[in-house]
Structure formats: structure tokens, C-alpha cells
Amino acid sequence: MSFPAIMVLLVAVTGLIWLVDRLFWAKQRTTDGKEPAVVEYARSFFPIILLVLVIRSFVAEPFRIPSASMLPTLHIGDFILVNKFAYGLRLPVLNSKILETGEPERGDVIVFRYPKQPEIDYIKRVVALPGDRVGYFDKTLYINGEVVEQQPLNADAEVSSQLTPNSEVFYEHIEGHKHMIATDDGRPSAEGEMIVPDGHYFVMGDNRDNSNDSRVWGPVPESHLVGKAFMIWMSWDIDAGGIVWSRLGKGIN
């Protein structure tokens, strides 16, 4: 059972116990009758669980970065916050949209349900929107026939030590988004071109030669969107000695 399903179940159970007590059991107790422990726990935990469910479902949800696919932007061990209302409010568990609030833009870093296994969450960068012609050849991204600009790093730019030794890092510019990407001349790239279908988004990892993304399994349906990643609230790297303080509170571009 997924975490949202567990939260919904707990809200329903504690809320029902509290309601039944207020309507029936409380009236049958004497004035000095002690409240049953199960009712006390339900009354105490119901508002807390409900608040957590509302925040995680409609405001922000934490996620942990488990892989190297978004290096150098996101490191293994980063803990991020995802804006849950950026692309529409959705009901927990059902994932059905109840309110339109916005749509992904090129360059957004998004969390979504992996199309082949929807119970698994993935994080990638949106590089192409519905109707775009997107291509990737010779480690270069093309959108609607135009080369997406790459430029060398600044001399003082910090590059993650988690990248492989053969990695080359560049700045990439997509619709005003400036972010770092990595390529590896020693590894082949998944290449090809397609027109992004309506209601879908083409996503790629910033670690271009170490990412399982839309080049392999196709674009992400709009119904699978979870939210927009916007901040790193914690970062843990055991090889660096634990908490990486310099990454705490860092925005995600």
C-alpha cells in the first residue's frame, strides 16, 4: 500500500472513531466516565494526520534523490521539496485533477509517476512540450529544429564529485533556464527524434549518458505529473562526512 493510501486510511479510521464517539459513545458515559484510550488517540491524531495529508497532497511533498541521473543539478542523497499545486491539484490515491493551476514549461525539473510502473516516482527535466519536435543527436539537444545552446562552465563553477571521471559538464539554456548538464564521451547516447503527442511531456536527465528517460520509454502523460521540484532541504553524502551544508536551502534551476 502506498504512503498516500495509508494516510487516507488513517484519516478515515481516526475520524470515524472520533465522530462515532461524539455522536453516540460520549452521551452514554457518566459525567466522570473516562474517555477510552482508542478515542483519546483518535481525537489526538486525527487533526495531525489530516494536516500532513493535506500538505503532502496539495502543498509540498519531500522526495529523496536515489540515483545519478540528475547530476550535476541534483546529487545522490539530496532531499528535495516538490510543489504539489504547480500543475494542478490532484486527489490523493486517485490522482485525478480537481483544479487547473498551471502547466510544465521547458526547463522545469519535475517529479512524475514512471509510465511503465506508476507506483514509482521519477525526477527529470522537461525539455519538450506537447507538439514540439525534439531530437537528440551527437550529445546535443534539438527542439523544433533549433540547437539548444551549450556553453563552457565558469572557472569558479562547482562540479559534483559524484560524476564519473570521463564526464564533461556544460551549461545548457532552455527557455531562460540555465542549468548544468553532463555527458560522457566513453558512453553511447540514446538518440532519436519524435513529435511530442498532445497531453505528454518529453523529459531527460541532466546526466545525459546515465539516465533512463523519454529517449528510452517515451514521453510522460500529463496524468502522471506529481509536481515541480523547487528546493533542496537536506543533503546527505556519507563520503563527504554526512550533511552537505552548502546544499541546504538551495533552489533547483
Side-chain angles (χ1 to χ4, degrees):
M1 184 180 291
S2 66
F3 184 80
I6 293 173
M7 294 296 291
V8 169
L9 180 61
L10 288 174
V11 166
V13 171
T14 55
L16 182 61
I17 292 173
W18 189 14
L19 178 62
V20 170
D21 178 70
R22 291 291 299 273
L23 294 178
F24 303 105
W25 300 339
K27 297 177 181 179
Q28 299 174 10
R29 291 197 295 269
T30 61
T31 55
D32 60 346
K34 185 177 180 181
E35 186 177 66
V38 66
V39 174
E40 182 180 355
Y41 284 130
R43 177 172 54 80
S44 299
F45 286 110
F46 170 73
I48 298 173
I49 299 171
L50 178 61
L51 180 61
V52 171
L53 177 63
V54 170
I55 292 174
R56 286 180 60 99
S57 300
F58 304 121
V59 181
E61 183 174 359
F63 288 88
R64 179 181 178 275
I65 304 302
S67 74
S69 71
M70 283 299 291
L71 286 171
T73 303
L74 295 174
H75 297 185
I76 300 171
D78 281 348
F79 292 80
I80 65 170
L81 287 177
V82 173
N83 181 337
K84 295 298 292 288
F85 57 85
Y87 308 134
L89 296 183
R90 300 175 187 271
L91 292 175
V93 182
L94 299 177
N95 295 309
S96 54
K97 186 183 291 187
I98 57 175
L99 180 66
E100 294 279 355
T101 58
E103 298 176 349
E105 300 178 353
R106 297 185 193 93
D108 285 359
V109 176
I110 67 169
V111 171
F112 56 93
R113 293 182 292 122
Y114 179 36
K116 290 186 176 295
Q117 291 179 270
E119 67 276 11
I120 299 175
D121 291 318
Y122 268 31
I123 182 166
K124 305 291 179 186
R125 188 180 299 276
V126 175
V127 299
L129 305 178
D132 283 345
R133 178 163 55 92
V134 57
Y136 192 75
F137 300 98
D138 194 25
K139 303 188 186 298
T140 301
L141 179 63
Y142 296 81
I143 299 176
N144 297 321
E146 299 290 332
V147 175
V148 175
E149 179 187 356
Q150 294 180 3
Q151 69 179 73
L153 294 184
N154 298 332
D156 59 348
E158 294 185 13
V159 178
S160 172
S161 61
Q162 296 178 353
L163 288 166
T164 60
N166 293 328
S167 296
E168 292 189 72
V169 182
F170 305 90
Y171 288 122
E172 185 177 73
H173 296 261
I174 300 180
E175 296 276 319
H177 288 263
K178 180 182 178 181
H179 55 273
M180 287 191 285
I181 64 167
T183 61
D184 187 341
D185 286 338
R187 301 185 65 173
S189 297
E191 297 185 338
E193 185 179 68
M194 71 172 298
I195 303 293
V196 183
D198 288 343
H200 290 71
Y201 297 90
F202 197 94
V203 299
M204 295 177 65
D206 288 348
N207 196 357
R208 294 289 163 79
D209 296 320
N210 188 20
S211 175
N212 178 27
D213 52 39
S214 288
R215 293 170 293 174
V216 179
W217 37 257
V220 178
E222 190 276 339
S223 61
H224 283 51
L225 300 181
V226 173
K228 179 180 179 180
F230 69 94
M231 188 181 76
I232 299 167
W233 65 272
M234 174 59 72
S235 185
W236 179 270
D237 187 345
I238 191 64
D239 294 330
I243 297 176
V244 185
W245 296 100
S246 62
R247 296 187 62 74
L248 271 59
K250 186 175 182 180
I252 299 173
N253 296 322

